[in-house]
Amino acid sequence: MYFSVMKSTPLIAHFETYLPFEEVEISLIESRISRRKLKRREHLLVNGDICRHYTFVVKGVLRLYGIDPSGKEHNILFAAENDWIYDITSFHEAKPGESNIQAIEPSEVIQIAQQDLYHLYVNIPKLDRVFKVITEEKYVELQNRVFQNISSTAQQRYTYFYEKYPNLATRLPNTQIASYLGITPEFLSMIRKEMVQGKTKK
Amino acid sequence: MYFSVMKSTPLIAHFETYLPFEEVEISLIESRISRRKLKRREHLLVNGDICRHYTFVVKGVLRLYGIDPSGKEHNILFAAENDWIYDITSFHEAKPGESNIQAIEPSEVIQIAQQDLYHLYVNIPKLDRVFKVITEEKYVELQNRVFQNISSTAQQRYTYFYEKYPNLATRLPNTQIASYLGITPEFLSMIRKEMVQGKTKK
């Protein structure tokens, strides 16, 4: 029992940043989750799969990406420690999706399968509130990203990314950040060099 | 009482597409909402305001847009009948936002103020579930939009918009759709002409 609590602590601690949970609720949550380790470059989800889990990142960084008709990969979002990653369209409609989820670093995740999440929603109604807020937070991220995409130069987009996610900006390979910003790695290197030299205004 | 029910019917009908509600719950919801008519081009929210309402569109079309440092407007999303519009960042943090909300057509909306929404969440817990699903649906829209933005040509983005929102594509002025797609109205006209002539493959 002690070990079981220890094992899922990061997820419970995450939920408790939103609302307190009773011991019995924590036990129920723990009975419905699974833990998984991922090697670097290992995929959790591949284009055409049905996304059957909500995935919580305990350690590492994962990316959600799409592939365009020419075969080029485009990063939609990253998720590091204490963040969630899933293809929400595929998950809710339980049909094959167009997204891919891959570990960029060796990672540890906690997963909740669709039927378990629905079971938890029914038995612990306040999880509806918790996931409402989590989804709202992810929504804010995406809305800012849409606005950046349609209104900003590549330099401004990188500055925004750097200020918003300093940890990711210094931790991720250039190729991954460039794919997120929609530019080439070479152009990103140039922007970074100019920022260091103080030529790019923030 | 009869008139009150009549007045908010579209919102209750919308909620009941997710879950059934009791009479007493419907009355409580109705006591916490307000109705508002908007002229064409009238603003519900201006850059720098705090977004204090969730707004449900009964009739008409509204747009959420941002203004870049050069003063250019960029449409983030549209909301027509039975859809929601709000600046979620400003709403939840109760601080001035960077977004604008404007009626594109003469519109009728139902609004729920922040304190009323929180009151309703406490007294009708299943509204947490309803708004979780509503937010998830909006999230799906935005995620598709991000992927389109970073991976597709203007033609592909318009085709996607046209297929996904045929009603909006034929109803909105070219300038508004162009601002959503991140292209000039002239370029959009060219794309539309090519589509009609069958030169653009879907």
Side-chain angles (χ1 to χ4, degrees):
Chain A
M1 182 59 179
Y2 177 71
F3 282 108
S4 154
V5 171
M6 282 303 290
K7 274 185 188 164
S8 60
T9 296
L11 180 63
I12 303 300
H14 172 75
F15 284 152
E16 292 204 317
T17 62
Y18 298 99
L19 286 175
F21 283 79
E22 311 284 333
E23 267 307 313
V24 58
E25 295 170 333
I26 292 173
S27 298
L28 180 58
I29 294 170
E30 286 175 343
S31 72
R32 294 278 172 165
I33 59 178
S34 58
R35 239 180 139 91
R36 187 166 164 180
K37 289 195 179 193
L38 297 160
K39 291 180 191 148
R40 192 165 82 92
R41 297 204 179 139
E42 189 173 342
H43 276 88
L44 260 189
L45 186 76
V46 176
N47 183 5
D49 286 353
I50 297 174
C51 179
R52 299 195 187 276
H53 296 88
Y54 265 36
T55 297
F56 176 78
V57 183
V58 176
K59 198 175 157 225
V61 187
L62 287 81
R63 64 176 181 134
L64 176 78
Y65 69 96
I67 303 173
D68 72 24
S70 77
K72 198 172 167 221
E73 297 176 0
H74 301 273
N75 288 339
I76 297 165
L77 54 82
F78 301 116
E81 287 81 6
N82 295 311
D83 199 357
W84 293 87
I85 195 160
Y86 40 78
D87 178 345
I88 196 172
T89 319
S90 170
F91 184 90
H92 285 292
E93 298 174 9
K95 66 178 194 188
E98 296 176 1
S99 302
N100 304 267
I101 298 176
Q102 185 187 36
I104 298 177
E105 299 176 357
S107 302
E108 288 177 42
V109 299
I110 291 174
Q111 294 193 297
I112 312 181
Q114 195 190 44
Q115 68 273 23
D116 291 311
L117 187 60
Y118 294 165
H119 180 87
L120 291 174
Y121 282 151
V122 171
N123 289 282
I124 312 177
K126 69 182 149 186
L127 272 178
D128 273 320
R129 174 160 309 180
V130 170
F131 277 98
K132 174 171 68 65
V133 178
I134 289 168
T135 308
E136 283 166 353
E137 289 171 350
K138 303 288 281 177
Y139 184 90
V140 166
E141 252 186 77
L142 270 183
Q143 184 169 304
N144 288 333
R145 181 146 160 69
V146 167
F147 184 61
Q148 293 290 323
N149 274 340
I150 60 178
S151 73
S152 305
T153 63
Q155 279 89 341
Q156 289 166 336
R157 293 203 298 277
Y158 178 67
T159 303
Y160 179 82
F161 181 73
Y162 187 85
E163 288 176 351
K164 188 92 182 172
Y165 309 100
N167 180 33
L168 288 175
T170 49
R171 183 173 170 183
L172 292 175
N174 260 13
T175 47
Q176 296 298 346
I177 298 174
S179 167
Y180 177 91
L181 298 173
I183 56 177
T184 64
E186 294 72 29
F187 190 39
L188 175 59
S189 298
M190 205 186 76
I191 293 172
R192 283 183 144 170
K193 206 170 153 190
E194 285 181 352
M195 272 180 71
V196 171
Q197 293 171 344
K199 285 185 185 163
T200 302
K201 278 191 184 159
K202 288 197 178 178
Chain B
M1 182 61 179
Y2 177 72
F3 281 110
S4 154
V5 172
M6 284 301 290
K7 273 184 188 165
S8 60
T9 297
L11 179 62
I12 303 300
H14 171 74
F15 284 151
E16 292 204 318
T17 61
Y18 298 99
L19 287 175
F21 284 79
E22 311 283 334
E23 267 307 312
V24 58
E25 294 169 334
I26 292 172
S27 297
L28 180 58
I29 294 169
E30 287 175 343
S31 72
R32 294 278 171 163
I33 60 178
S34 58
R35 239 182 139 91
R36 188 167 163 179
K37 290 196 178 192
L38 297 160
K39 291 180 190 148
R40 191 164 83 92
R41 297 203 177 141
E42 190 173 343
H43 277 88
L44 260 189
L45 186 76
V46 176
N47 183 5
D49 286 352
I50 298 174
C51 179
R52 300 196 187 275
H53 296 87
Y54 265 35
T55 297
F56 176 78
V57 184
V58 176
K59 196 176 158 223
V61 188
L62 287 81
R63 65 177 180 133
L64 177 77
Y65 69 96
I67 303 173
D68 72 22
S70 76
K72 198 172 166 220
E73 297 176 1
H74 300 274
N75 288 340
I76 297 165
L77 54 83
F78 301 116
E81 287 81 7
N82 294 311
D83 199 357
W84 293 87
I85 194 161
Y86 41 77
D87 178 344
I88 196 172
T89 319
S90 169
F91 185 90
H92 286 292
E93 299 175 6
K95 66 178 193 188
E98 297 176 0
S99 301
N100 304 269
I101 298 177
Q102 185 188 36
I104 298 177
E105 299 176 356
S107 302
E108 287 177 42
V109 299
I110 291 174
Q111 294 193 295
I112 311 180
Q114 195 191 44
Q115 68 273 24
D116 291 312
L117 186 60
Y118 293 164
H119 180 88
L120 292 173
Y121 282 151
V122 172
N123 289 282
I124 312 175
K126 69 181 150 189
L127 273 177
D128 273 319
R129 173 160 309 181
V130 170
F131 277 97
K132 173 170 70 64
V133 178
I134 290 169
T135 308
E136 284 166 352
E137 289 171 349
K138 303 289 281 179
Y139 185 90
V140 166
E141 252 187 76
L142 270 183
Q143 184 169 303
N144 288 333
R145 181 147 161 68
V146 166
F147 183 61
Q148 293 289 323
N149 275 339
I150 59 178
S151 73
S152 305
T153 64
Q155 279 90 341
Q156 289 165 336
R157 293 203 299 277
Y158 178 67
T159 303
Y160 178 82
F161 181 74
Y162 186 85
E163 288 175 351
K164 187 94 183 170
Y165 308 101
N167 180 32
L168 289 176
T170 48
R171 182 174 171 182
L172 292 174
N174 260 12
T175 48
Q176 296 298 346
I177 299 173
S179 166
Y180 178 91
L181 298 173
I183 57 177
T184 63
E186 294 73 27
F187 191 39
L188 176 60
S189 297
M190 205 185 76
I191 293 172
R192 284 184 143 169
K193 207 170 151 186
E194 284 180 352
M195 272 181 71
V196 170
Q197 292 170 346
K199 285 184 184 165
T200 302
K201 278 190 185 159
K202 284 195 180 180

